[in-house]
Amino acid sequence: MIPQDFVDQLLSRVDIVDVVDRYVPLKKAGQNYLACCPFHKEKSPSFTVSPSKQFYHCFGCGAHGSAIGFVMEYQGLGFVDAVTMLAEGIGLRVPNERVANPEASRKAREKKLSLEQMTQLASDYYRRELKSAPTAVAYCKGRGLSGEIAARYGLGYAPDGWQNLENVFPQYQDDKLVEAGLVIHAEDSGRRYDRFRDRLMFPIRNQRGAIIGFGGRVLGKGEPKYLNSPETPLFEKGRELYGLYEARQAIRDKNRVLVVEGYMDVVALAQFGVQYAVATLGTATTGEHVRKLLRHADQVYFCFDGDNAGLKAAWRALENSLPQLVDGKALNFLFLPKEHDPDSYVREFGAEAFEQLLEEQSLPLSVYFTRELCREINLSTPEGKADLIRQASPLLAQIAAPALAFIIKKRLAELAGVEVDEFDMLTTGKKPAERKGRREYRLPQESHRQINTPMIKKLIKWLLMNPAWAGDVRLPDSIALSDELACFAMLAERVQEHDQPPNTAQLMEGLRGTPYEGLVDSVLQQAMQDPDEFADPSADDRQLFQDGNAKLLKMLRSAQLDRLKLKDQHEGLTPEEKTLLGELLRDLFSPSA
Ligand SMILES: [Zn+2]
């Protein structure tokens, strides 16, 4: 965990204009800066960066965030990596609560850098060797690969022989060669030798483009067909995806990413014009993989061979995806005909046919999910239906996207011949109406509906863009707020906690990982309609914000009043509630309310 204080400090020291400008050249336009959006295709610029708010927003696609958010999105980095990168850029050291010893973490980083230099040198060597290796060149040509594609993916050749890397590393006894996964040290004999021998080499890059490991493919008949670098300080198989660095632009342009099983598939697809493919590295697709993929594109396609191993791998991918799902993004599964892998398919039929297959034959996750669950169940018997519910419930519970989870649940309920409510009851053991025992008041449904959500969204937007206005927000006590209202109240409270109001970026970063993160995201996407909303606010705007707040307070009080009156009639009131009722009535008749 990186402490929130540090994130605040970082955001007050970096300038988002500098950060974005490094990747996307910005032009000054009034108070703000403009560019064509790097996250969607556009001809006239609607990507706006505000130096005063330290925040960006695209009025075309709704992408927005702080400097940290930009680096995460643009570079495809996780939060900690993005913070570290920004902090290093301005000479700040990231305090990491889990790392007790800062000296040790500095050393670990230095070691990583020196291992990266080694893998880079090795890769340069393999690339040079490819030119003078006729069998390897013939193999590439046989696969239809051009010199251009081989260069883009940095293909190389590890020659036959035991200690060829001594040519590059005269210090062949250096233990770091073993740590980088380039050299194997045999414990029993004490001998050292190159890990990769007589193989076509595929360098694996991380999201910065640094080489962190290799995949090596045999050219002839040998075993294993594919050999990967072992797990090293640089290379964690469960996190990395082969080809992601090379495919980034195409993935962004198409808003689509294709996950295949082998490096050769990625390179062959790119050669034939499908540039947005990546591969897992000899492991099942992990949740971390899926999270990374969903950050890069809204549409993720998994492509598996149609054999048993492929089916198993697909189900594993689905299981690991469930906790990462997001409404508005889609996962799809494509199974190729049994005799094909993507490499052979695209070589035989071409990119157009492959993409047509992808679009027409892929199963959306929801369909694949229900189909697989029902595959071995006899739904014509009550026992079978009960079995379906039993098997589905632990999986459904993991789905993080509420709308999608509901749709799948509804479909399963239909198949099992029960209502959705009954399905819930059967799987959670709870009756739907049984939730009770909250101390706070819940607003009755009708009055909840009167509180107009677009207005609250507007208030949230104004508050986010102008945190200093939080002083205008007054909300009644003893009221349970939910959804947008709760979010609005929490934001105001957060600002009020500070002596100096935070800027927009700091306020937003404080929401990361909270249940409000997604809500605020969608509110901003809907409520920010026009670039003027990013300009400094006028006195009129402030007045509208104050009026909106007064109106909201009034509505909440009257809803609370109705609720208390109703309870008084039916159940009677506790002494606390009586006091509250008295106060509300007094406010109602006082001229200031
Ligand atoms: Zn955009």
Side-chain angles (χ1 to χ4, degrees):
M1 276 294 285
I2 293 179
Q4 190 58 40
D5 281 357
F6 181 79
V7 175
D8 271 353
Q9 190 198 351
L10 178 68
L11 287 173
S12 65
R13 300 255 314 259
V14 294
D15 184 355
I16 191 170
V17 176
D18 294 340
V19 172
V20 174
D21 193 56
R22 241 173 272 155
Y23 308 100
V24 184
L26 293 170
K27 279 216 175 74
K28 181 116 179 104
Q31 296 154 352
N32 297 321
Y33 290 80
L34 275 177
C36 281
C37 178
F39 305 121
H40 83 282
K41 261 195 174 157
E42 62 177 5
K43 291 211 176 76
S44 56
S46 50
F47 181 84
T48 313
V49 179
S50 159
S52 62
K53 301 176 181 24
Q54 287 295 304
F55 199 70
Y56 73 90
H57 188 93
C58 171
F59 291 91
C61 69
H64 55 248
S66 66
I68 300 172
F70 179 82
V71 171
M72 289 174 71
E73 195 73 28
Y74 191 84
Q75 293 275 54
L77 295 178
F79 177 71
V80 175
D81 291 341
V83 167
T84 308
M85 194 182 130
L86 285 171
E88 279 173 355
I90 55 165
L92 275 183
R93 185 182 288 172
V94 182
N96 189 331
E97 285 164 350
R98 274 181 304 188
V99 180
N101 184 345
E103 184 58 17
S105 79
R106 188 184 59 80
K107 278 197 175 138
R109 235 188 359 261
E110 278 172 6
K111 176 183 271 174
K112 268 192 172 184
L113 280 177
S114 77
L115 296 183
E116 267 176 24
Q117 283 165 356
M118 285 184 157
T119 47
Q120 181 64 51
L121 286 171
S123 168
D124 295 345
Y125 168 72
Y126 295 143
R127 285 178 69 167
R128 285 195 304 272
E129 287 298 311
L130 179 61
K131 297 198 178 89
S132 49
T135 48
V137 170
Y139 177 88
C140 291
K141 284 199 174 141
R143 292 278 172 143
L145 302 185
S146 66
E148 192 197 329
I149 280 288
R152 191 197 312 163
Y153 283 89
L155 301 194
Y157 174 66
D160 208 2
W162 292 96
Q163 298 187 336
N164 282 309
L165 285 178
E166 212 167 6
N167 294 318
V168 195
F169 305 104
Q171 307 278 346
Y172 196 73
Q173 296 304 314
D174 189 343
D175 282 337
K176 277 196 273 181
L177 284 170
V178 178
E179 264 187 278
L182 294 167
V183 163
I184 291 173
H185 175 83
E187 288 294 340
D188 42 356
S189 64
R191 263 188 72 223
R192 287 186 178 221
Y193 53 92
D194 294 359
R195 177 178 300 273
F196 299 101
R197 302 177 308 279
D198 191 19
R199 281 174 184 268
L200 185 64
M201 298 298 287
F202 297 77
I204 301 158
R205 294 187 172 102
N206 69 9
Q207 317 219 43
R208 272 184 296 115
I211 294 172
I212 53 175
F214 294 92
R217 193 194 190 289
V218 284
L219 292 168
K221 285 258 178 274
E223 285 288 328
K225 199 161 142 195
Y226 289 104
L227 180 67
N228 290 323
S229 291
E231 298 264 327
T232 71
L234 297 179
F235 180 42
E236 276 177 72
K237 291 179 191 177
R239 287 177 54 97
E240 305 297 341
L241 289 154
Y242 175 73
L244 186 58
Y245 179 77
E246 290 83 354
R248 271 187 322 174
Q249 190 57 46
I251 292 172
R252 194 172 294 150
D253 290 348
K254 286 257 180 179
N255 196 12
R256 168 195 280 187
V257 57
L258 171 67
V259 188
V260 295
E261 293 182 84
Y263 330 109
M264 202 57 217
D265 295 321
V266 171
V267 178
L269 284 164
Q271 176 70 59
F272 288 90
V274 180
Q275 315 266 5
Y276 46 83
V278 301
T280 51
L281 292 149
T283 59
T285 308
T286 64
E288 179 66 28
H289 284 144
V290 177
R291 221 157 56 87
K292 219 172 218 185
L293 292 165
L294 287 173
R295 272 211 304 269
H296 281 82
D298 288 345
Q299 295 282 338
V300 178
Y301 290 83
F302 292 101
C303 179
F304 293 96
D305 301 348
D307 58 9
N308 262 336
L311 290 176
K312 259 195 193 142
W315 187 252
R316 281 286 297 280
L318 175 133
E319 284 180 321
N320 291 334
S321 300
L322 297 177
Q324 314 296 339
L325 296 177
V326 184
D327 285 329
K329 302 206 168 207
L331 265 55
N332 304 279
F333 294 79
L334 175 67
F335 295 95
L336 290 176
K338 271 206 176 70
E339 65 280 13
H340 277 295
D341 55 26
D343 169 27
S344 67
Y345 194 93
V346 77
R347 267 188 295 134
E348 189 165 340
F349 303 106
E352 211 173 302
F354 182 85
E355 290 195 306
Q356 195 180 352
L357 194 71
L358 200 63
E359 278 152 28
E360 291 171 4
Q361 303 289 321
S362 295
L363 301 174
L365 178 134
S366 58
V367 173
Y368 174 58
F369 182 94
T370 37
R371 198 190 74 177
E372 280 305 296
L373 274 181
C374 298
R375 187 192 284 276
E376 306 209 324
I377 291 176
N378 178 359
L379 282 173
S380 62
T381 65
E383 286 79 1
K385 288 175 178 168
D387 207 25
L388 175 66
I389 293 174
R390 189 182 56 79
Q391 289 193 32
S393 67
L395 294 169
L396 279 172
Q398 289 183 47
I399 299 182
L404 182 69
F406 181 78
I407 290 165
I408 296 178
K409 195 189 290 175
K410 211 170 147 202
R411 175 82 189 110
L412 289 169
E414 273 167 29
L415 289 167
V418 298
E419 296 293 326
V420 174
D421 270 2
E422 294 170 331
F423 190 96
D424 278 341
M425 202 177 81
L426 290 167
T427 51
T428 61
K430 269 187 229 145
K431 287 189 191 143
E434 220 176 29
R435 301 180 217 103
K436 57 158 194 178
R438 295 215 187 175
R439 245 186 68 79
E440 305 101 328
Y441 304 100
R442 291 181 74 85
L443 293 175
Q445 286 297 319
E446 312 84 83
S447 58
H448 219 90
R449 242 176 272 135
Q450 283 163 18
I451 295 177
N452 125 8
T453 322
M455 182 185 95
I456 298 164
K457 287 186 174 166
K458 214 152 192 195
L459 291 176
I460 291 177
K461 185 208 79 186
W462 264 322
L463 183 56
L464 278 169
M465 291 300 123
N466 310 283
W469 293 1
D472 295 339
V473 180
R474 274 177 67 215
L475 293 167
D477 297 330
S478 313
I479 191 160
L481 303 173
S482 58
D483 306 328
E484 285 89 354
L485 263 174
C487 176
F488 181 60
M490 190 269 319
L491 282 172
E493 215 170 87
R494 289 234 166 153
V495 182
Q496 288 161 2
E497 279 166 10
H498 291 74
D499 298 335
Q500 276 282 64
N503 64 31
T504 302
Q506 289 165 323
L507 189 56
M508 285 288 289
E509 283 301 336
L511 298 179
R512 196 176 284 285
T514 72
Y516 298 112
E517 186 184 359
L519 180 62
V520 164
D521 247 26
S522 69
V523 166
L524 277 186
Q525 275 191 2
Q526 285 173 29
M528 295 274 278
Q529 299 292 346
D530 123 39
D532 285 347
E533 303 184 54
F534 233 21
D536 287 345
S538 64
D540 285 353
D541 290 339
R542 179 70 182 264
Q543 190 58 51
L544 286 170
F545 183 75
Q546 286 169 338
D547 293 349
N549 269 293
K551 213 164 141 193
L552 178 63
L553 182 62
K554 215 169 164 183
M555 285 193 311
L556 287 172
R557 280 185 171 154
S558 93
Q560 210 174 10
L561 197 60
D562 290 346
R563 174 80 187 87
L564 285 172
K565 282 184 186 158
L566 203 71
K567 182 160 189 264
D568 195 19
Q569 282 167 16
H570 292 96
E571 305 167 43
L573 297 178
T574 66
E576 276 171 334
E577 288 167 338
K578 276 188 188 141
T579 318
L580 184 61
L581 181 61
E583 281 168 16
L584 284 168
L585 287 168
R586 211 168 36 247
D587 276 347
L588 190 63
F589 296 110
S590 81
S592 68

